[in-house]
Amino acid sequence: MKTKIAENIKFYRKQLNMTQDELAAKLCSKKSLICNYERGYSTPDIYTLCRLAKIFDVTLDELVEYEIND
């Protein structure tokens, strides 16, 4: 299974004209963590994914968007 979480976080953040710093502030986090999410170095936990979906006003499915590779 390949997820597009990293790409989607960056895409939706940019759709809102939000900087990594601004998103980090909304999550009470650090810019470096947002950077790691967007580069795919780390993946947000389910709680953070739910918060991101709410910030971006998208469903969790839209945020996670995955493909099953057989």
Side-chain angles (χ1 to χ4, degrees):
M1 178 173 73
K2 180 182 177 188
T3 64
K4 295 179 70 177
I5 296 171
E7 293 172 35
N8 289 345
I9 291 172
K10 186 173 186 177
F11 173 80
Y12 289 122
R13 176 180 61 78
K14 288 189 172 214
Q15 287 292 307
L16 295 175
N17 294 313
M18 188 181 295
T19 66
Q20 289 180 340
D21 281 322
E22 291 169 334
L23 181 56
K26 286 186 177 282
L27 293 174
C28 299
S29 184
K30 295 182 179 180
K31 176 185 173 185
S32 60
L33 185 60
I34 303 303
C35 185
N36 286 339
Y37 290 161
E38 291 184 359
R39 291 183 178 185
Y41 296 151
S42 60
T43 303
D45 60 24
I46 189 66
Y47 175 73
T48 304
L49 286 170
C50 290
R51 291 181 64 203
L52 286 167
K54 185 172 183 164
I55 290 167
F56 297 147
D57 194 27
V58 297
T59 66
L60 194 53
D61 285 343
E62 290 171 314
L63 182 60
V64 173
E65 188 182 344
Y66 68 94
E67 299 170 2
I68 297 174
N69 300 326
D70 292 334

